[in-house]
Amino acid sequence: MAITPRTILTSAAPATVAVVSLYVFTVLGTAAYHAAQSSPSPQVDTPSAQALAGDRSCDIVFDHFGSDQTSWSENAWIHFAACYDHQDRSDMVVEVTREALVHYPRSEVLYNFQGYHLIEQGLYSQAIDTLQRGLHNVQVQRTGTMANNLAWASLWDQRAIPLDEARGLYLRALSLNPSSCETLHTGLFVEYAIAQKAHGLDRFESLKRFADLRQKYNGCLGRLDNGDEKTALEVVGASVLFESVDSNNPSVVSPLTRQSTAKLSEFFRGQTVDVICRDAMPMADMHHHCTETLTTAVRANRADKLAHAERNQHAQRQIQVLNQNGQNVRVIRAQHAVPTSIECGTNR
């Protein structure tokens, strides 16, 4: 699944129910959106815009659909679960979807909600059980979200699902969503894990698959600039794998690793590298390499920042000297850079 951003949008619409939109680290992906759109009776099951605005009170959503939950439609349950998701209440999302699946045991959206939030809580064995039941009960899946998330969860608990089965899961997901960055990310981790354990032709095959996935994942790196913390965490995890494959030398890191680490620092101020690596790397044997790599990147970024500040101070001192000598100084700056040139003219 890869740890990626997800956005859950619950809004009223006159003709359609645009209930859920999730980026699959992730879980629901477009599966939730399409499943919600294709559900019957949209107008009946859509809370008013006023009810879904403001603090997104889940009590308001509950009141809208009524206290008799046995009469709720699938869309009603989806709205209710999405409300708690919006509040980052994973525990409540799991509780709501457990009840909802009693009534709608073939709901792809509800399985994805529950699986995702179990993963968010680190309950990987429970997530695996949920997503396996989902794949069994939902005979026609609209996207590969469940397969992808199951493959991702299996990396955290490799005793539950063998790596060759995890490979089959992410390939199944890619067959439905070939351009999914989250699934490409999952595939990178699966193939890396297989290559670490394999020998001979099997290792060669895994590394070849890894290289192919990496080439495709390069098109996903542009999300980093405007991405949230989950996107940054996803790219950091991938960059650590790339460092390991390229050089296996954590004392030297690539521009991608430095860039993604710098982006991640915007969201995880005060967090240790150790904590970040535990979130980014599902394989325990990669934890040490991750901490070494990110520590190097952090130090390199800090050194660059200090050097930049020193160049700025030096330029400012030059300007002050020129001004004291009676010259008219105008500084030309490049964006996000120290002064690139100084134009001087005599005072008149």
Side-chain angles (χ1 to χ4, degrees), residues 79-287:
H79 275 293
F80 196 37
C83 179
Y84 284 115
D85 177 277
H86 180 79
Q87 297 178 359
D88 292 324
R89 292 287 308 279
S90 290
D91 58 333
M92 287 303 300
V93 174
V94 171
E95 182 177 326
V96 167
T97 53
R98 277 178 178 156
E99 178 64 25
L101 285 167
V102 172
H103 303 284
Y104 297 96
R106 299 185 185 280
S107 173
E108 183 176 5
V109 179
L110 292 172
Y111 279 116
N112 276 322
F113 257 128
Q114 186 175 124
Y116 177 85
H117 284 279
L118 287 168
I119 291 172
E120 283 285 273
Q121 296 176 87
L123 301 173
Y124 302 111
S125 62
Q126 293 183 41
I128 289 170
D129 179 67
T130 291
L131 294 167
Q132 284 179 326
R133 284 191 290 112
L135 288 174
H136 179 266
N137 291 340
V138 182
Q139 296 180 353
V140 179
Q141 288 115 44
R142 292 175 173 82
T143 73
T145 304
M146 277 196 292
N148 173 67
N149 292 335
L150 181 55
W152 178 253
S154 74
L155 288 168
W156 298 84
D157 187 0
Q158 293 182 22
R159 293 171 299 178
I161 298 178
L163 286 171
D164 59 339
E165 289 187 25
R167 171 186 278 170
L169 287 165
Y170 92 74
L171 289 174
R172 175 177 175 181
L174 279 180
S175 70
L176 295 169
N177 305 101
S179 60
S180 168
C181 293
E182 295 80 12
T183 306
L184 292 170
H185 180 268
T186 299
L188 286 168
F189 274 83
V190 171
E191 295 302 339
Y192 182 91
I194 292 175
Q196 292 297 100
K197 299 177 183 297
H199 302 280
L201 290 177
D202 289 339
R203 177 177 171 81
F204 175 80
E205 175 66 19
S206 293
L207 290 175
K208 182 178 182 299
R209 288 175 182 267
F210 182 92
D212 291 341
L213 290 164
R214 180 176 181 175
Q215 184 175 9
K216 294 176 182 177
Y217 188 74
N218 284 339
C220 300
L221 298 178
R223 300 175 304 143
L224 184 63
D225 293 336
N226 299 314
D228 66 4
E229 67 274 16
K230 289 187 179 294
T231 303
L233 198 62
E234 175 198 301
V235 176
V236 161
S239 70
V240 171
L241 295 188
F242 299 158
E243 297 283 358
S244 177
V245 170
D246 292 344
S247 66
N248 202 27
N249 179 11
S251 65
V252 180
V253 294
S254 68
L256 172 62
T257 302
R258 293 180 59 177
Q259 179 189 3
S260 58
T261 302
K263 182 69 175 180
L264 199 63
S265 67
E266 298 176 11
F267 304 105
F268 290 87
R269 294 187 184 279
Q271 293 282 6
T272 65
V273 167
D274 182 72
V275 169
I276 291 172
C277 285
R278 281 204 300 269
D279 288 340
M281 309 302 292
M283 295 93 76
D285 56 356
M286 278 296 294
H287 183 81

Side-chain angles (χ1 to χ4, degrees), residues 307-342:
H308 176 84
E310 289 174 359
R311 288 194 298 270
N312 244 345
Q313 291 174 358
H314 178 71
Q316 291 299 326
R317 286 194 294 269
Q318 286 183 316
I319 293 169
Q320 290 173 0
V321 169
L322 292 171
N323 282 333
Q324 288 171 359
N325 291 336
Q327 294 176 304
N328 180 26
V329 179
R330 180 163 64 93
V331 180
I332 301 175
R333 295 180 184 274
Q335 188 176 14
H336 306 303
V338 296
T340 56
S341 64
I342 299 177

Side-chain angles (χ1 to χ4, degrees), residues 27-92:
V27 181
L28 294 190
T30 54
Y33 175 78
H34 290 304
Q37 277 194 318
S38 63
S39 299
S41 304
Q43 290 179 306
V44 174
D45 293 328
T46 305
S48 66
Q50 181 179 3
L52 293 171
D55 63 358
R56 297 269 183 143
S57 169
C58 298
D59 290 337
I60 294 176
V61 177
F62 179 89
D63 291 341
H64 172 84
F65 294 118
S67 59
D68 183 10
Q69 290 181 300
T70 61
S71 65
W72 281 17
S73 69
E74 180 184 351
N75 274 335
W77 285 106
I78 290 170
H79 275 293
F80 196 37
C83 179
Y84 284 115
D85 177 277
H86 180 79
Q87 297 178 359
D88 292 324
R89 292 287 308 279
S90 290
D91 58 333
M92 287 303 300

